[in-house]
């Protein structure tokens, strides 16, 4: 049995009257030269000013005094926190517009861990293989309306494995229709399971009422995450209280044993709302109308700051008069802004013609075969005569970058540069997409322009800085651009004819992905 409350009761908070750090502790400490965490040993502890003096593993003698909040155990960023510790950091409050939402109790810097939460339940096929097989057969005979068995499977696994208190926690999650009646799939599944041989699993399921089953299915549908490695779902308690935003204040990654690591994507004041994106990063780069349509899967209309803008600057269309200015549509009126070059505005007839043309191109791009690069190039070339800084150009730039990288690296690099330009124009926050764009562009430049050290360092540095915010300085994703940056800067330093110390604050040794025991 899985009882989250029992687990958390055993793993309570540390006694705060005891010094947290002791001489000899092996830790990650922040080196002020570049704000990266490095392996070190605590040499001195000062409770009065809440600082420690560390000895760096690489024998560096600078920036040795570090404040308590800049020191962490190797597992602090990956191991789930206790419920009590999470509740000290974040609070659920009711809002008039969105219902229950999550807010931080402390100010947070970009990239700071807000909290790390263990799953309430991980519903994988291996948990109940015969039940999974039974649902698969039902789905093969006649597909379920949701298009997958994972939500129904997770709901049934909840009943089979969780204590009543934890099941109540799931039932308390957000659902659009709290009094929803059982649908045909729920009735069908319960009926089929009455006769199924599930090795003792059927007793609890036979007692499950249809309406209760429906509520659990909906709770999983609207609050769970797809498992990052297997075909299954994961549900968290506090994280499920995070509202969506197309400009989310937080980002996340996975920690130990499917723990959810929530980080601030931007600076947050005490009491600031903790939001995440329910959409993939690539969807955040599409128009407001496309995002709104995708969010109908959760049956709500997003009213975040980006969706509330009166002009959608991700749908640029070239001015038909001067062919230089860019027109952006006004939302929700459907008209266009006045051209900032020639001062003209399209007539109502021209406006409708441009909007119809845009719809046709969106449909055409959606139907593109990524393997048919000639067709993609033809559509792209035609679109360039009409659009500028439009999300459909970004989609085609992505296809052409991926398709041309091994065939024509110079052309691929141009498409990658255009991807970066559009991302920074339309959505300027750090994302994994933007970080990897910079790193991949840097990789190409190493091959084509190895002498441009300043440019290589710029691309790898930008990638590193963004990934440090998104998943921390000790994550393997972050180590990749950082080590490339170190290699370029080391080569640059060794080439200094005068032997002068040109080491920058970014040129410290590579980030080591190591495990250290306390």
């Amino acid at each position: 049995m899985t009882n989250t409350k029992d687990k958390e009761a055993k793993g309570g908070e540390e006694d705060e009257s005891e010094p947290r750090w002791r001489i000899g502790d092996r830790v990650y400490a922040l080196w002020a030269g570049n704000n990266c965490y490095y392996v070190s040993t605590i040499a001195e502890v000062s409770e009065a000013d809440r600082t420690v003096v560390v000895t760096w593993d690489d024998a560096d003698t600078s920036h040795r005094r570090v404040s308590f909040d800049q020191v962490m155990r190797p597992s602090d960023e990956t191991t789930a926190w206790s419920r009590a510790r999470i509740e000290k950091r974040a609070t659920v409050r009711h809002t008039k517009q969105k219902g229950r939402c999550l807010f931080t109790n402390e100010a947070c810097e970009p990239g700071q861990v807000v909290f790390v939460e263990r799953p309430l339940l991980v519903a994988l096929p291996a948990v109940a293989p015969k039940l999974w097989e039974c649902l698969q057969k039902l789905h093969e005979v006649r597909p379920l309306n949701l298009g997958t068995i994972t939500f129904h499977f997770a709901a049934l696994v909840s009943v089979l494995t969780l204590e009543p208190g934890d099941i109540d926690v799931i039932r308390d999650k957000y659902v659009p229709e709290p009094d929803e009646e059982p649908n045909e799939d729920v009735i069908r599944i319960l009926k089929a399971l009455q006769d199924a041989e599930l090795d003792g699993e059927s007793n609890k399921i036979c007692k499950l009422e249809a309406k209760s089953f429906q509520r659990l299915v909906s709770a999983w549908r609207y609050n769970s995450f797809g498992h990052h490695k297997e075909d299954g779902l994961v549900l968290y308690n506090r994280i499920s209280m995070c509202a969506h935003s197309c400009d989310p204040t937080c980002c996340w990654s996975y920690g130990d044993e499917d723990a959810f690591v929530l980080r601030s994507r931007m600076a947050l004041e005490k009491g600031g709302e903790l939001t995440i994106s329910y959409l993939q990063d690539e969807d955040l780069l599409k128009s407001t109308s496309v995002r709104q349509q995708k969010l109908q899967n959760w049956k709500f209309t997003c009213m975040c700051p980006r969706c509330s803008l009166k002009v959608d600057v991700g749908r640029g269309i070239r001015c038909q008069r001067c062919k230089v200015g860019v027109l952006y549509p006004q939302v929700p009126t459907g008209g266009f802004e006045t051209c900032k070059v020639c001062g003209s505005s399209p007539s109502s007839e021209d406006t409708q013609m441009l909007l119809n043309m845009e719809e046709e191109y969106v449909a055409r791009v959606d139907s593109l075969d990524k393997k048919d690069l000639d067709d993609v190039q033809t559509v792209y070339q035609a679109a360039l005569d009409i659009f500028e800084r439009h999300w459909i150009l970004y989609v085609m730039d992505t296809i052409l970058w991926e398709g041309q990288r091994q065939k024509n690296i110079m052309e691929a690099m141009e498409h990658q540069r255009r991807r970066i330009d559009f991302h920074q124009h339309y959505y300027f926050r750090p994302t994994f997409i933007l970080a990897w764009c910079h790193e991949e562009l840097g990789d190409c430049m190493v091959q084509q322009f190895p002498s441009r050290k300043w440019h290589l360092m710029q691309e790898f540095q930008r990638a590193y800085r963004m990934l440090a915010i998104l998943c921390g300085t000790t994550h393997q994703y972050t180590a990749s651009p950082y080590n490339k940056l170190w290699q370029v800067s080391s080569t640059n330093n060794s080439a200094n004819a005068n032997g002068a110390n040109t080491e920058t604050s970014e040129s410290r040794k590579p980030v080591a992905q190591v495990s250290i025991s306390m």
Side-chain angles (χ1 to χ4, degrees):
M1 290 289 185
T2 301
N3 191 327
T4 304
K5 293 180 180 178
D6 289 345
K7 284 185 177 180
E8 292 180 347
K10 295 176 182 178
E13 294 294 283
E14 293 179 332
D15 184 357
E16 296 184 358
S17 65
E18 294 286 327
R20 182 177 181 185
W21 306 116
R22 296 176 174 83
I23 294 174
D25 280 352
R26 296 281 285 161
V27 297
Y28 279 129
L30 186 138
W31 186 67
N34 62 5
N35 291 327
C36 295
Y37 281 88
Y38 292 95
V39 183
S40 60
T41 304
I42 292 181
E44 298 177 18
V45 179
S46 174
E47 288 290 330
D49 57 4
R50 297 183 61 77
T51 62
V52 297
V53 174
V54 299
T55 300
W56 304 110
D57 274 20
D58 63 355
D60 187 278
T61 58
S62 62
H63 307 297
R64 293 183 59 202
R65 185 167 292 278
V66 183
S67 65
F68 278 6
D69 60 358
Q70 294 175 335
V71 181
M72 63 181 182
R73 292 185 173 86
S75 61
D76 271 1
E77 292 197 344
T78 58
T79 300
W81 296 8
S82 69
R83 181 175 295 181
R85 187 179 177 189
I86 291 174
E87 289 178 348
K88 286 184 178 180
R89 181 60 63 87
T91 299
V92 177
R93 295 207 302 264
H94 188 274
T95 64
K96 291 182 179 180
Q97 295 79 14
K98 299 184 293 185
R100 293 177 298 179
C101 297
L102 198 60
F103 298 84
T104 177
N105 294 330
E106 300 178 11
C108 297
E109 292 298 319
Q112 180 178 334
V113 174
V114 182
F115 60 78
V116 186
E117 184 176 31
R118 65 170 53 86
L120 189 62
L121 179 62
V122 180
L124 301 178
V127 176
K130 289 198 172 184
L131 175 60
W132 178 269
E133 183 181 351
C134 180
L135 294 179
Q136 283 278 42
K137 290 179 179 178
L138 277 175
H139 187 56
E140 290 170 1
V141 172
R142 189 172 80 241
L144 302 181
N145 291 323
L146 293 180
T148 177
I149 67 170
T150 54
F151 300 114
H152 296 86
F153 175 76
L156 293 170
V157 169
S158 303
V159 175
L160 293 174
T161 63
L162 295 180
E163 296 291 343
D166 288 332
I167 295 176
D168 289 341
V169 169
I170 296 177
R171 287 199 179 99
D172 187 52
K173 299 302 175 190
Y174 160 80
V175 294
E177 302 174 46
D179 295 323
E180 183 180 9
E181 292 298 323
N183 61 31
E184 61 176 340
D185 286 338
V186 164
I187 302 297
R188 177 185 166 209
I189 289 172
L190 287 178
K191 184 177 180 180
L193 293 178
Q194 295 292 328
D195 302 323
E197 296 181 3
L198 301 176
D199 293 341
E201 297 174 350
S202 58
N203 291 334
K204 287 187 176 181
I205 294 177
C206 290
K207 298 177 181 179
L208 181 62
E209 295 180 356
K211 192 166 185 177
S212 179
F213 183 23
Q214 181 66 62
R215 180 59 181 260
L216 288 173
V217 171
S218 294
W220 277 92
R221 177 185 177 186
Y222 294 107
N223 296 277
S224 64
F225 294 79
H227 194 267
H228 58 117
K229 293 182 180 179
E230 301 182 49
D231 188 9
L233 299 173
V234 190
L235 184 65
Y236 302 88
N237 185 18
R238 270 293 178 265
I239 291 299
S240 65
M241 297 297 180
C242 282
H244 164 83
S245 173
C246 295
D247 185 20
T249 61
C250 296
C251 49
W252 57 275
S253 58
Y254 286 108
D256 302 335
E257 299 180 339
D258 297 309
F260 193 106
V261 183
L262 186 71
R263 294 178 183 275
S264 53
R265 190 191 295 260
M266 60 189 77
L268 292 173
E269 297 181 355
K270 180 179 179 180
E273 185 177 359
L274 302 170
T275 58
I276 59 176
S277 173
Y278 296 178
L279 303 175
Q280 300 293 324
D281 276 358
E282 56 263 29
D283 291 328
L284 294 178
L285 299 173
K286 295 179 180 178
S287 68
T288 302
S289 59
V290 172
R291 299 197 309 271
Q292 295 279 17
Q293 183 179 6
K294 287 182 176 291
L295 287 168
Q296 288 307 304
N297 289 330
W298 288 269
K299 297 187 177 181
F300 71 87
T301 299
C302 182
M303 298 299 292
C304 74
R306 286 186 72 200
C307 290
S308 301
L309 293 174
K310 295 182 179 180
V311 176
D312 192 339
V313 295
R315 295 171 56 197
I317 296 180
R318 291 188 183 278
C319 175
Q320 298 300 294
R321 179 180 177 184
C322 68
K323 303 295 184 181
V324 177
V326 180
L327 307 177
Y328 294 108
Q330 297 174 322
V331 182
T333 62
F336 285 92
E337 286 187 307
T338 300
C339 177
K340 291 181 172 57
V341 177
C342 67
S344 67
S345 298
S347 64
S348 58
E349 292 80 8
D350 288 343
T351 294
Q352 191 58 51
M353 181 269 293
L354 291 173
L355 292 175
N356 290 339
M357 188 180 300
E358 181 187 33
E359 288 184 8
E360 292 174 2
Y361 266 93
V362 169
R364 182 73 171 87
V365 171
D366 283 344
S367 65
L368 285 173
D369 180 356
K370 294 182 179 181
K371 296 181 180 179
D372 190 350
L373 293 183
D374 290 338
D375 185 45
V376 176
Q377 188 68 55
T378 299
V379 177
Y380 182 75
Q381 190 62 48
L384 287 174
D385 293 334
I386 304 170
F387 304 103
E388 175 74 21
R389 288 189 166 180
H390 197 292
W391 67 269
I392 63 170
L393 293 177
Y394 170 84
V395 171
M396 288 187 283
D397 277 319
T398 301
I399 297 173
L400 292 169
W401 149 255
E402 294 171 348
Q404 296 286 359
R405 185 172 181 180
Q406 302 301 325
K407 301 175 182 179
N408 188 335
I409 191 170
M410 292 299 294
E411 185 170 337
M413 288 172 63
E414 175 60 22
H415 289 295
Q416 187 77 322
R417 185 190 64 77
R418 293 187 181 199
R419 292 180 72 208
I420 292 173
D421 286 347
F422 177 78
H423 195 307
Q424 292 175 332
H425 159 75
Y426 193 42
Y427 186 53
F428 52 87
R429 305 287 189 195
T431 68
F432 285 103
I433 287 178
L434 185 55
W436 287 329
C437 277
H438 282 295
E439 183 177 2
E440 291 166 341
L441 184 57
D443 291 339
C444 291
M445 295 196 66
V446 168
Q447 300 177 41
Q448 298 298 116
F449 308 106
S451 62
R452 293 188 186 177
K453 304 296 183 183
W454 63 271
H455 201 165
L456 300 178
M457 292 178 65
Q458 176 178 272
E459 298 301 332
F460 292 137
Q461 185 181 82
R462 287 176 177 173
Y464 164 75
R465 287 297 187 187
M466 291 184 192
L467 289 170
I469 290 174
L470 296 169
C471 54
T473 58
T474 61
H475 196 281
Q476 60 182 356
Y477 289 166
T478 313
S480 176
Y482 188 83
N483 289 341
K484 294 171 185 176
L485 173 62
W486 179 81
Q487 291 169 3
V488 172
S489 61
S490 296
T491 303
N492 200 33
N493 292 337
S494 63
N496 189 303
N498 297 324
N501 182 12
T502 59
E503 183 177 0
T504 69
S505 63
E506 298 289 353
S507 60
R508 194 172 165 87
K509 70 170 190 173
V511 177
Q513 298 300 311
V514 296
S515 297
I516 54 179
S517 59
M518 299 301 295

